[in-house]
Amino acid sequence: MLQELQLSAQQLLERPEAFNTGSAEILVSALLLCIKDTKIAAKTENVLRSLQNVQIIQELIGKHVKCVMSTMEKDKASLQEFSDMVEHSAVLQKHFQCYLHSILTRLNKDFSSKPNCHLLVKVSLQLFQLFPQEMRTICWKATRFNELDQYELSTGGDVLPVVTGLIYTVFSEDLDLESRLLAAMALVMFANVAPNAGTRCKMYNLLWDFTGILNTGATTDCRMSCDEKAGQYCARFQQVLQAINACNNKNSEDCNFGLEISSKHTGFAHVAFLHALLVNARVKEINNFHQAAFTAILNICTSSNYAYQAFNLLVLWFDSKMKVLREAKAKGYHQTLCSTEMKGNPLLEKTDIVSEGTFSKSLEFSLSKPMFGESSSTAVERLLSLLQRNWEHATDGVAELVHKSFSLLLEAHQREQHLADEVIANKETNFYKSLLRNVSHLPWTVRAKFEQMAALAGYVGTNILLADMPDLQQEVVNALSSNQLAKCASRFYGKHLSVTLSEASDRKDAVKIWQCYWLQPLINAISSSDTLQQHNATRYLLPSTLKVFPDAYAILTNALACANGVATTLNSKSSIDNDKRIHLTRVQWLHASIAIMQVGRQLKFITGADLEVGSLREALFHDNDVIRSGAFATLCVTPAKTERLSEVELCLLRENLSKNMNIDNAPFRNGLKTSIKVLLCRVRDSSISQVKNADRLPDQVYPAIAFVDWLYKHCLLSLYPGGCYQRRKTALDLITQVMETFLASPPAQRRKGKVPESTAKLVSLALAAGMWDFCGDPAARVLDVVLLDSVAEIREDAAYIREQYFSWPPHAGAAVDVWYGMQQWLSKGLQLCCSSRSQDCEIGALICKMIYRKCIIPGKAVISWSNGQSLGDVSLYSAGCETLNSSIDFILMLKQAVDKHLKTTTAFSKDVAPHTPVYGIILAIQRCVSCLLLDLPNVKTNDELKTLIASLLELSAKAIRLNSLVTEQEEVNPSLADISEAMERRGGQSVGSITITAEQHYLMACYWLTIKESMTLIGVIAKQVPNQWLSSIAVQIADQLVVIITRCRHRGILEATTLAASQFFQRLLLSDCEVTRLIPNNILEKVFVGINDLSAMASITRRSAGLPLLVVTILAAEPRHRKDLLKDAMSRLLSTASRREADALGENVDLPQVHALNSLRAIFRDATLSPKTLQYVDKAVMLSIDGFSSPAWTIRNSATQLFGVLVDRLLGQKDLERDSPVGTSMTAAQLFALYPNLQTYIVQQVLHTSHVCGSGALSMHPGTFPLLALLSRLAMETTVTSKHNSEAYVMLSKGLEQLLISPVFRVRELAAKSLLTLMSGTDSMHQLVKCLQKISEGCSQRFCHNGLHGQLLLVKCLVEKLARNIQDEHSFVSLVSDLLFTRLLWLGCRENVSNVVKALYLEICWLWTMRTNQPWNRLSVLGIDVLYNLEQCSNSDKHSIGRCKLDQMVASILVNSSLHQASRANMATSCLGQLLCTDNADLHTAAVQAFSECKEPDVLKEVLVS
C-alpha cells in the first residue's frame, strides 16, 4: 500500500492537474491512515513532506484536522487519533499548533479514570514535548518592569487543571506504573518550558519538595475519595505556583539543585520524578545535580519496593554521567586547567557542566573532587554493597541492570582518571585492585564471581588475575559441571582471552600465554568423563578459544596426537616435551578428538576431506553415546549448507546409522535427529543448483539422492509391528525430517524454514530415476498399520505424517472402491471408539479425526447412516462441494450415540458402563470439534454450529453429572470414604465391605475416563470457540470447571481440567466484555468465602485436593501488566492462614488455615507467579514457622510443605549428589536487605530459643529447626557485603552462639553452619582463633560437653571454609596448628571421656593437616596415643556412644599418615599391622576402607610391605 501511495504522490507532483478533489481525498485519507502505523510512519512522513507545497493536499489535511478537533470533546477516539498523528509527523504538528487551547480544554477531565488516564497523560506529555514554544506562551505571561523582562506563571486557564491532574496521576497507587512515569515526565517537560534556566531549576526544586510533602503529609486517610484527594493536591499546588511567581525573578542564574535527601523519599513518586529528570531535564543547567541525585537513588535502591524502576534509575544516572564526561573530553578543557592544583577526594561532591560560558570553572571544581576515586570512600562502598546484595535479584530484569551498573561504574572511574591524568600526570589508583580483592573473597559457586571478574579483566589485566587466583583455570573448568555457572564462566573465559590478545605485543606471544595457562585445563575439560562438563566445554570454551586464537587448533591437534603417540603433521614446530605430554585414556582421547574435529569443522578450520576417518570410524562404533553423538554431528553439521556429501561421509553413515536407531538414550536420539536434519538440508541445497537446468539427475548428486532414498526406505522397514519403541520413534522422526525437507507443507503450519520452490524439480527428477517415492502406496500402508500401534506417541507421529503429506483420498479421481476403503477405515475407527479398552478408543478417535479433517470438513466426502443401526454402520461417498452441514451432522451422529448411552445409565446399572463405554465416543467428538473450530475461518459459520456447541456443553455436563461418584449431599464435597460407599452402592455390594471386585475396578475406570474426556471436550470448546460466542457460554463453562476442580479426587481429571481452565480463564480476563472479564473474580470470591465457612467444608484430604489448583489457575491467567487478583488473593490468604484455629473441631473437617496454607504453597510453587510473589515471601516464611507450633496436625503438615517450597524459591534446590545447594548464592545480607521484617523475626526467634536453651530446658520452639535450616543454606558473607557492626547481626550471632550448647545434636550442628554464613573471610580467621583459644581454656575448668562439641562443630565449619584459601597466610596457619596440636591436645587424651567430642577433634586435626599440607608427624603421634588409650578401655566402653566414629577416625588417621609420610619406617606404619589384626571390627573395617581409597597403588604396596 505504501508503494502505491508513493507512486500516487509522485504523479501528483508531476501532473497536479490530473488529480481531482476525490482522488486527493483518497490519497490524504490513506496517508493519514498509514501515519498511525509505527512500522511505516517514517516513510509516510517523507511522502507528506514532499506534498507540503501542494495546496489541495494541505487544505484537505487541515479539513481533517478540524474535523478531529470538532469531535475531540465527546469522542475518545479523536484524542487517540491526535496522539498518533502528532507523534509520527512534523507536518501534522504544524496543523495542530493553532488548536492547543482546545486540546488543553479537552484534557480537563478526571485523571483518576483508569481507562482514560493513560491517554490523557500521553497527550499532555506530547503537548509539552512537541510544542515547547507554544506551551511557553500559554503557560508564562511576559511583563516588563524596570526595563527588564519578567515572567509570571499563569495560574488560570487550562494549564493548572492539567498539571494538577498529572500530579494526581503520579501519586495515584491505583493507576499503572507506566502512566505514572509518563505523568512525571510531563511535569518535568512542563518545567522545561520555563523562560530561563534559573526558573527551570527552581521549578525542579519545588516539584521535588512538593512530591515530598504529598508523600509524607496529611493525605494518608484511605477513606478519602479521589475528588477529595484531587482537591487537596490542587490547593497545595496553588501554594507551589505562588512560591514560583514570588521568586522566579530573583537570582535567576542560581542553578543549585538541592534535593532533600531523606529516607522517606523512596516512594514511586520520587522514582518517577528522578526518572523524568534523568531522561528529560536539562542537566547541563543544574549545578550539583549528580551529587544530589546519586544519593537519592542509592536511598531508593536500598529501600524501595520497585526494584526494577529503582535500578533503572541507577543505570540512567550512569548514562547521564558518562555523557557529561564525554562532553568534557570533547571540549579540550585541559588547556585552561594545566596550572590548577588538583586534590583527589573520593567524595560525592562532583558538579557538572553548567553552560558554555562557565564550563571551565565548573569543570575545575568537578575534577578537584572526583566521584569514583577509591573503593574505600563511603559512597562507593555503599554502592558496591548495594550491587553485591542485588547481583542475583529474583525480579525480572533487575539482575541485568545491576550488572550494567557495575560495568558503568568501572568505565566511569576510568574516564574520570583519564580526565584527571591530563591535569595530574601519572596519578595512581588502587580502585580496580581493591575491587578484585573483594571479588576474590567470593566463593566459586556463585555467578557473581565470574561475572565481576569478566568486567574487571579489561581494567586489571590478565597477569594480575592469574597471579592473585592460582586456582582460576581449574575453577573455570569445574564451573562447567553446573548449568548455573557454565555460561558466566565461559563468558569470563572469552573475555580473558580477548584481554590477553590485546595486552600481548603480537598474536604469537598471546598464543604462548594461552598455551602455558589454558591448554591442559581445556583438554581436560573436553575429555572429561563428566558429560555435562564435556558438553559445556565443547559448546563454550573450545569455540571461544578458536575464534580468538585460530592457531590454537594446530596446538590442540598436536597435543592430542602426542598423547596418542602419533606424530603430527599439522604443526611439527610446536611439539610437546615428554615431561609436558598430556596423558589420556582412549575414551578421553576420543572425546577430545571428536570435540576438536566437530568445532573445527563448524568454524571452517577443516572440511570433509580433512576428517580423520580412522578416529571417526572408531567413534561411530564406540559404546559411549556421547562419543557417537559427537561423531554424527561432525559428519553432518557444516557451516556451509551447500557443501556436498563426500563418499567417505556417505559410507560411514550407511554403516552406522541403522545400528543407532534403537538407542535408549533420549538425548542421543534428539542429537541424531538434529544432525540428520542438517544433513538433509545439505543434500537439498547442494543438489538444487546442480539440477537447475538438467533433464535428469547429474552424476554428482546421484549418490546423495540414493542415500536419502535408502534412509527413507530403511525407516519404513524399521516400523515393523513388534519393534522396539526407540527404533520406531527414531524412524518416524527421520521420516518427518525427510518430508519437511523435501516436500512443501501447508503455509499455515510453518512460517520459517519453508521448502524452496525449486525443490519440486529435484523431487520430480528423483521420481523419474525410480527413487523418492515418499507418498506412494507402500508408505501409506505402512503408516496405516502404525496408526494401530498401542503407544500414543507413535500413533500421533504417524498420524501427523499421514495427514500433512499424503493425499486424501489416496488417489484423486479414484474409483468407488477407494471411497469404500475409506468407509471401511472410518467404520473400524467408530467401532474402536466403542471398545472397552482405552487404547482402542484413542486409536478409533484418531482415525475419525483424520478422516473428518481431511475428507469431511473440506467437503470431499459425505456420511450417511440409518437410525437404529450400530455406530460403525455408515456410508461414505464423494461430495460435490464443500458443506458445513456434513461436518455438523457427523458430530451430531456421535452425540446421539452418547445421549443413548446416558439414558440407559440413569438407572446406575453395573452392567452398562463396561459393555457400552462412552468415553471413546466423547474423545472422538472432542477431536473432531477441535478440528472444526481450528478450521473455522475456512468454513462458513451459521446458527447450527452455535447450537451444536451449546448442545455439546449440555452433553458434557450430563455425562459428568451421571458419572460422578458423589453422595446425595450435593452441597458438601465428598470424602474418599463417601466415594467408596457410592461405588459399593452402584456395584450392588453391601456398604461397608472391604473387598472390591475386578469388575468394580473396571467400572470406576469407566467413570473416571468419561469425566476426564468430558472435561477435555469442555476445555477444547473454551479454548477455541469464537470470541463472539464466548460471553453466552462463559458462565456455564466456568461453573462446570469449578465443580470438577473443587470436588473431584482423580489426579488425571484434575490435570486435564486445570489445563482447560488455564486457557479458558486467560480468554476471560482478556475479554472486552466487562461481565465476562469479572467471572474469574467472582469465582475467587466464592472460593475465599467457602474457605472461611466451616459449615460448608468437608474433609477433602490434607492437600486441599483441587482447591489450590483453582486459585493458582486463575491467578496465573491474569495478564502480566495487571496483577490485582494476585494482590487481593495474597492478602486474604495470608490473613486467613494467620487466624487462630477454632477449638473442638472434628477430624473430618478441614480448617480454613489449612486451605489457605495449601493455596499459598501452590502459588509460590508456580513459576509464572514467582516474580510477583517474592514481595510476600517474608510474611509466608514467618507464617509457616509459626505454623510448626500449631496444635492441629493438619496445620503443621501444611506449614511444613509451605516452608519447603519457600526455601526452594529463595535459595534454589539442593544437589543431593554433592550435598550442596546448587542455586544458593544469596547471603544473609542480601536476604535481610530484601526482607527487613524477616530479619527482625529471625532475630527474635533465635534469641527466644537461645534463652530457653540457656535455662537448661530440653524443649524448644518447633520452628527452631526450620529457621536454622534456612540460615544454614545461605551463602557465605564477603567483605563487600559485611554488615557485622549492625545491632541485628550482633544479636543474631549471640543467639546462635548460645544455641551451640543445645542438648540437641542437630540444633548444634545447624547453629554452627548458620554462624558461618554471617562471617566474612577476615572475620572467619579471627573467629577460628577465638574458638580454639576458648576451647583450650576448658582443660583447666569444668566444660559442658554439649558446649564443647558445639564449639568444635563451629571450628570444623571454619576449617572447611578457610583451609583452601589461607595457603599464603603462614603466620595464621602456624598459630592454628600450634593451638590444635599443643593446647588442645587434652581433647584426645583419656581425661576427655566423651567419644563424640574426641572423634570430632580428630576429624578437625585430620582436615586441617590435609587441606593446609601440614606435616603428618604430629597427627600420626596423636592417632597412636588415641589408639593406645582405646586398647586400654574396658569392654563396656567399646559400646559407648560415639565409639564407632572414634574408631573410624583413628584408623583413617593412621593409614593416611603412613601413606603421606616420606619415610616408610615411621610409627604410624608400625601400627598398621595392629589395626589389620585387631579384634575390633570397627577399627579393622575403617583401616580396610582407608586403604581402598588410596589412589596410588605403588605407595600402598610399599606401605603394606614395610
Side-chain angles (χ1 to χ4, degrees), residues 498-518:
S498 301
V499 174
T500 302
L501 181 60
S502 63
E503 292 177 344
S505 57
D506 56 10
R507 184 174 291 272
K508 291 184 179 179
D509 293 340
V511 172
K512 289 181 180 179
I513 295 174
W514 168 83
Q515 184 176 1
C516 176
Y517 288 101
W518 293 99

Side-chain angles (χ1 to χ4, degrees), residues 200-332:
R200 282 192 286 271
C201 291
K202 289 181 176 63
M203 292 192 68
Y204 294 150
N205 279 286
L206 289 172
L207 283 173
W208 176 265
D209 294 338
F210 183 60
T211 55
I213 291 171
L214 290 186
N215 196 50
T216 60
T219 58
T220 57
D221 190 355
C222 299
R223 295 170 296 179
M224 290 180 62
S225 65
C226 295
D227 294 336
E228 291 173 340
K229 290 183 179 180
Q232 222 180 62
Y233 294 157
C234 182
R236 294 194 177 191
F237 192 69
Q238 289 279 4
Q239 301 173 6
V240 174
L241 295 182
Q242 293 174 4
I244 292 176
N245 287 330
C247 65
N248 64 347
N249 295 307
K250 300 177 182 179
N251 300 324
S252 61
E253 297 303 323
D254 183 11
C255 301
N256 287 321
F257 184 55
L259 290 178
E260 180 187 353
I261 305 304
S262 171
S263 59
K264 297 180 181 179
H265 289 182
T266 57
F268 186 79
H270 296 89
V271 175
F273 186 67
L274 277 175
H275 181 274
L277 285 175
L278 290 168
V279 173
N280 295 317
R282 301 184 180 183
V283 177
K284 290 183 180 181
E285 299 175 351
I286 310 174
N287 284 341
N288 211 25
F289 170 72
H290 283 103
Q291 172 192 356
F294 184 76
T295 308
I297 291 172
L298 285 184
N299 290 338
I300 290 173
C301 291
T302 303
S303 56
S304 176
N305 293 326
Y306 307 95
Y308 182 86
Q309 290 78 9
F311 282 97
N312 189 42
L313 281 181
L314 188 58
V315 173
L316 291 174
W317 184 91
F318 272 112
D319 290 338
S320 176
K321 192 68 183 176
M322 297 296 294
K323 183 179 179 181
V324 171
L325 293 175
R326 283 192 294 268
E327 291 180 358
K329 181 71 174 178
K331 295 291 184 179

